[in-house]
Amino acid sequence: MNYENTKEFAEKMDGRDPLKSFRAQFLFPQINGSDAIYFCGNSLGLQPVTVRDAIQQELDDWAQYGVHGHLQAKNPWYSYHEMFAGPLSRLVGAKPSEVVAMNGLTVNLHLLLMSFYRPNGKRHKIVCEKRAFPSDQYALESQVRYHGFDPSTAIVEVGPRPGNDMILTEDILETIDSGKEEIALVLLGGVNYYTGQCFEMEKITAKAQKLGIPIGFDLAHAVGNIELKLHDWGVDFGAWCSYKYLNSGAGSVAGAYVHERHFANPDLPRLAGWWGHDKEERFLMEPGFKPIPSAEAWQLSNAPIFSMAPHKAALDIFEEAGMEKLCAKRDLLTGYLEYIINEADMGMKIITPSDSNHRGCQLSVLTGENGKSIHDELTRKGVVSDWRNPNVIRVAPVPLYNSFSDVYQFGQILQGTGQ
Ligand SMILES: *Cc1c(COP(=O)(O)O)cnc(C)c1O
């Protein structure tokens, strides 16, 4: 694509954008009297306009039916979570039985680690990426300690080679290969939150599978951002949150995936609750946990309707747009932002891979010494992006609601900073 740093070019691209109508389905924060240039969907996606009615519906049904809302609400609460099997399975490339909406992301990671991190003597190490999201680091550390091991030796981090930003797939594969006698689990982010690098999940999974090592992905920055084929790749488990690219609201209900080959394994340990129990027998209220033969077996509690309502409204929009179109626009839009940042010539360095096969829509920009003040100025001038210490600005043009004109205007504001 031959990009141009002009308003006309951006408007021409917007005119041709098959997804352009989706922008109107979201509420943009107002800054200085107009829509913010919102490049923070990697952290908190915008509110779909349909969310208010979706929540109101549940309030009305609760008021009208009380406890009978479990079966009589427009979307009965008893089976509410089942509405997510279809949309989530399409988003992550799984079978409907392999996904479930429940809890928060870190909670789901712990529940899945209870099943899939099963250290045994020498074989107790976990391979993860360097600079994993802190919550993931804490989750792994605490799991390792819980099993009586020392995180400083049990957690093996793969980082970039000196002087590089990107972690090479071959280095991840080599780490797994050379440690195969000692590794009990591989857990990586699908897309690293800090650099925006997307890992080659298919290749890495194939390696782990070949060596009989369970592998899972934290898909917080991948779901709704890149195309996933968890089932076909053979990934054992995955978890994600719904408030970033999935636009379901702060702290909204998260998701989990488990490959179907694990459903029939009676030896798989898990923490159980009544919502994971066989549906036919749940209300017999009898002892003896009988897991549902699906990812639902990992559910503990009944469904949080007031976070599932926005989640449902938000996923309906993804169903309408389709990941294929979103990814096509994502590559054009992110490529344009990359071009615009380089054009602005502010002495910044993009540390996200420039190959679109190795990134989603987020670009992480390494700034000079005045980075924080540039970021603050961008904020004052209507740009919503985020700052990560010590010196990175993360900007994510989200294909569902951002435009080429947003990117162009961002460039104009960026060029005007520090003057
Ligand atoms: C956003 C994010 C989290 C947040 O965890 P919560 O349990 O939703 O608070 C965890 N891990 C990663 C990789 C993230 O990007």
Side-chain angles (χ1 to χ4, degrees), residues 164-337:
N164 287 274
D165 302 305
M166 185 169 159
I167 302 173
L168 297 179
T169 303
E170 60 185 277
D171 289 352
I172 298 173
L173 299 181
E174 166 55 24
T175 303
I176 297 173
D177 215 18
S178 62
K180 57 182 177 279
E181 309 291 329
E182 302 184 325
I183 296 169
L185 180 82
V186 177
L187 182 79
L188 298 168
V191 173
N192 179 271
Y193 84 100
Y194 184 74
T195 61
Q197 175 180 355
C198 176
F199 295 109
E200 292 189 279
M201 289 180 257
E202 182 173 12
K203 280 191 198 163
I204 300 166
T205 302
K207 166 65 81 181
Q209 296 275 295
K210 202 168 142 210
L211 300 173
I213 301 169
I215 179 162
F217 290 97
D218 183 327
L219 301 163
H221 287 264
V223 69
N225 181 25
I226 60 169
E227 233 161 343
L228 298 165
K229 297 203 168 92
L230 300 182
H231 175 87
D232 289 350
W233 295 339
V235 174
D236 290 293
F237 69 95
W240 56 90
C241 53
S242 66
Y243 48 81
K244 290 170 180 164
Y245 297 108
L246 297 187
N247 311 314
S248 302
S252 190
V253 65
Y257 153 90
V258 178
H259 196 286
E260 65 179 0
R261 66 174 164 265
H262 299 295
F263 299 161
N265 178 2
D267 299 328
L268 200 70
R270 98 180 94 216
L271 296 179
W274 74 322
W275 231 248
H277 186 84
D278 178 48
K279 289 176 206 179
E280 303 302 321
E281 294 185 11
R282 186 181 288 150
F283 279 90
L284 297 179
M285 306 292 207
E286 285 178 349
F289 179 69
K290 228 174 146 186
I292 305 170
S294 77
E296 292 168 282
W298 275 264
Q299 295 176 116
L300 301 180
S301 298
N302 74 99
I305 299 305
F306 287 98
S307 75
M308 284 189 169
H311 192 33
K312 177 69 173 55
L315 292 188
D316 285 347
I317 303 175
F318 271 89
E319 291 276 278
E320 210 187 317
M323 275 315 286
E324 206 175 321
K325 276 193 197 145
L326 285 166
C327 292
K329 176 174 171 187
R330 174 203 65 202
D331 289 343
L332 284 174
L333 195 62
T334 309
Y336 190 41
L337 180 61

Side-chain angles (χ1 to χ4, degrees), residues 41-58:
N42 58 313
S43 186
L44 188 83
L46 290 179
Q47 181 185 144
V49 293
T50 46
V51 158
R52 190 173 289 265
D53 283 349
I55 293 178
Q56 189 63 47
Q57 178 76 47
E58 303 313 328

Side-chain angles (χ1 to χ4, degrees), residues 128-147:
C128 65
E129 86 249 43
K130 206 176 170 95
R131 266 192 180 280
F133 192 86
S135 197
D136 300 40
Q137 294 185 34
Y138 307 147
L140 292 182
E141 276 174 28
S142 61
Q143 284 280 337
V144 163
R145 281 209 187 88
Y146 173 80
H147 288 281

